[in-house]
Amino acid sequence: MVSFICCLLPALLATTSAQASTLTCKTCFDSADACRTAQRTCRVDKATGGCFAVAEDITLEGTKTTGFASHCIDDYNMGVKDPVTVTLGNGTYLRINTTWCNTDNNCNSAVPEVPTGSTTLNGLQCPTCLSLSADTCDSHIAPCTGDETYCIDFAGTIQKGSEISTFAAKGCATASTKVIKVGISLASALSVFTFTKATSKPAEKTPTSGATPALGRFSFALYLPGLTGLLLVKLLS
Ligand SMILES: *[C@@H]1O[C@H](CO)[C@@H](O)[C@H](O)[C@H]1NC(C)=O
Ligand SMILES: *[C@@H]1O[C@H](CO)[C@@H](O)[C@H](O)[C@H]1NC(C)=O
């Protein structure tokens, strides 16, 4: 486990340096227990780097995987510093809690809690889907819960060990996903996500009565060919 994680995060991990202004961070991988009792440390340049700790729950169609990691981080300005949760379907979600610090030696020794999520509907909705083999997916509208008030539309690659796969994901997410941009990497304990598409915008309200908004949208769709026709006529005349 340790060796595969070591190969997994090369871009983010700091190299040991003997410079004066260094910070030490706790390092651990895998389980909460391993992280609670961690004795090993890494060193990072205090001017540019810092320490991080992460606890996550990645559940795919009801199959839960929890992961924990703590380490040095080379570039303190790059990355998502707040907890992120994303729901991509019924029983399919990512919940990542991270702590970033660059204040004191071993400031990352506390193990974050795995976010528990919420099942309370918040009156918002998003197109929702997940593909782990293509960079697009067919979405359906699903209700959002808790503090997942944004809709994300992400695509990119997931690296897990030496395996790299393409993914597409749409769903409800926390506002903290706003900082995720094309080109950045999101390091979780078990995987590194790299984004080729990353939009995150406030979710729409769930229509209170299904009929009116659906009809509104339908009639607009009906109008569209008519409008296009008018436009063409105008252009041609
Ligand atoms: C979600 O899945 C659970 C168990 O698999 C099922 O009981 C529930 O009806 C599903 N909910 C929706 C909205 O599909
Ligand atoms: C993240 O972990 C911290 C420290 O254990 C905890 O106080 C906080 O509630 C956690 N955040 C989430 C979203 O679970």
Side-chain angles (χ1 to χ4, degrees), residues 136-218:
T136 58
C137 59
D138 288 331
S139 61
H140 65 277
I141 298 290
C144 302
T145 57
D147 60 359
E148 294 187 346
T149 56
Y150 274 63
C151 293
I152 54 117
D153 183 352
F154 287 169
T157 56
I158 307 174
Q159 184 176 355
K160 199 171 177 185
S162 57
E163 253 176 67
I164 299 183
S165 55
T166 301
F167 79 93
K170 294 182 191 177
C172 305
T174 46
S176 54
T177 52
K178 273 188 294 185
V179 301
I180 298 175
K181 296 279 183 281
V182 169
I184 89 152
S185 295
L186 170 65
S188 80
L190 301 166
S191 312
V192 177
F193 300 87
T194 306
F195 299 93
T196 54
K197 180 180 186 187
T199 56
S200 175
K201 50 187 183 192
E204 278 179 29
K205 284 204 170 69
T206 307
T208 37
S209 116
T212 323
L215 189 64
R217 203 165 289 174
F218 186 57

Side-chain angles (χ1 to χ4, degrees), residues 1-64:
M1 191 64 180
V2 170
S3 65
F4 109 67
I5 294 282
C6 287
C7 308
L8 188 76
L9 297 171
L12 296 174
L13 301 187
T15 45
T16 307
S17 111
Q19 281 163 9
S21 61
T22 58
L23 191 64
T24 65
C25 307
K26 285 281 184 185
T27 121
C28 62
F29 294 105
D30 211 7
S31 69
D33 280 347
C35 286
R36 262 180 224 114
T37 57
Q39 296 300 321
R40 296 182 55 207
T41 57
C42 52
R43 285 180 168 277
V44 65
D45 185 342
K46 197 172 180 176
T48 53
C51 309
F52 82 97
V54 57
E56 72 191 16
D57 169 359
I58 296 185
T59 296
L60 297 176
E61 290 174 355
T63 306
K64 184 196 280 276

